[in-house]
Amino acid sequence: MPIELPKNKIPAETQDPKNLIIFSKPKIGKSTALANLPNCLCVDLEGGGYDYIDAMKVKISSVKELRELCKAIIDAGKPYKFIALDTISRLEDMVKPLALKLYLDTPAGSKFTGDDVLDAAMGAGYQYIRKAMEMCIDMVAKCAPNIILVCHSKDAAIGISDLTTRQIDLLGKSGRILASKSDGIGFMSRDEHSNTILSFNTNDTSIEAGARPIHLRNKEIVLGEMLENGTIEYHWERIFPSLSK
């Protein structure tokens, strides 16, 4: 069938980020915010991060369990609009046995006798950690229209000033590679009024952030609004516009 060339601009298919990364320091409220995202399955990889939170949640402690979860979701007809993997930092540890297997299946790895892939010569193990993580994330991405990757941040001092650079806390190049494949990278923090802020502001060169959707690009979104009664009202429709339709 011949390719039909467009004669006019084709409208955007969606403004929702299909692959969203959220990262922050610990205890900022990432898990609580995700528990308040409608129709979101929170996959607790930390093993207790949601124990005190009401949420659609499931604990996963191995790649085998993650495969079983994905199969169950697909068999159920993919009922979730969002799936959050919390945290990717933990997934990086979880995939080490898979990464080792992938490495051992290569000519170079066939001679490796260790039990930790990160001990492979010339830092080869990092490549297979990334490959194993991508395999797991791709597997989950087939289970829902939108996937959210939750990460911790690492702070590194810049010179002798008080500035810090906030980056995704993953080994080697994993953070940068995941970021390059995402539709949005938001740094979560709280402002002076205890509101939950999700920043996609790339003008702040100390923060690894950004977004493809126009409504998020270079913006600081008030995701959670602290009310006078001490509760938080979440506005996920500001991130995923389809929620307001």
Side-chain angles (χ1 to χ4, degrees), residues 157-215:
I158 301 175
I160 59 173
S161 71
D162 293 329
L163 295 176
T164 60
T165 178
R166 298 184 178 96
Q167 298 175 333
I168 297 169
D169 189 12
L170 292 173
L171 292 172
K173 301 177 182 177
S174 294
R176 291 196 299 275
I177 290 174
L178 285 181
S180 69
K181 295 182 177 181
S182 75
D183 301 313
I185 311 159
F187 181 77
M188 185 177 285
S189 61
R190 292 198 183 109
D191 66 11
E192 65 272 20
H193 304 294
S194 296
N195 296 317
T196 302
I197 307 299
L198 199 54
S199 175
F200 299 90
N201 188 358
T202 55
N203 294 325
D204 184 346
T205 57
S206 71
I207 297 177
E208 186 177 79
R212 292 191 179 102
I214 295 174
H215 71 286

Side-chain angles (χ1 to χ4, degrees), residues 84-237:
L85 290 176
D86 190 352
T87 64
I88 298 302
S89 310
R90 173 66 186 111
L91 179 64
E92 190 172 48
D93 290 329
M94 193 182 294
V95 301
K96 282 184 178 180
L98 174 59
L100 178 60
K101 181 180 183 303
L102 293 173
Y103 179 58
L104 292 176
D105 287 342
T106 67
S110 63
K111 301 176 183 178
F112 182 65
T113 58
D115 57 6
D116 187 341
V117 70
L118 294 181
D119 292 334
M122 307 294 289
Y126 292 93
Q127 173 187 346
Y128 290 94
I129 289 283
R130 291 194 296 272
K131 185 174 181 179
M133 286 182 65
E134 288 176 357
M135 289 172 63
C136 290
I137 292 169
D138 289 345
M139 178 173 62
V140 175
K142 294 175 182 177
C143 298
N146 306 86
I147 182 171
I148 301 169
L149 309 180
V150 184
C151 312
H152 293 314
S153 67
K154 58 182 176 182
D155 288 359
I158 301 175
I160 59 173
S161 71
D162 293 329
L163 295 176
T164 60
T165 178
R166 298 184 178 96
Q167 298 175 333
I168 297 169
D169 189 12
L170 292 173
L171 292 172
K173 301 177 182 177
S174 294
R176 291 196 299 275
I177 290 174
L178 285 181
S180 69
K181 295 182 177 181
S182 75
D183 301 313
I185 311 159
F187 181 77
M188 185 177 285
S189 61
R190 292 198 183 109
D191 66 11
E192 65 272 20
H193 304 294
S194 296
N195 296 317
T196 302
I197 307 299
L198 199 54
S199 175
F200 299 90
N201 188 358
T202 55
N203 294 325
D204 184 346
T205 57
S206 71
I207 297 177
E208 186 177 79
R212 292 191 179 102
I214 295 174
H215 71 286
L216 300 178
R217 201 174 298 163
N218 291 325
K219 300 290 179 58
E220 291 193 352
I221 309 293
V222 179
L223 175 62
E225 183 180 358
M226 180 64 71
L227 305 180
E228 291 184 0
N229 62 6
T231 62
I232 301 175
E233 181 178 349
Y234 289 95
H235 299 281
W236 279 104
E237 73 281 357

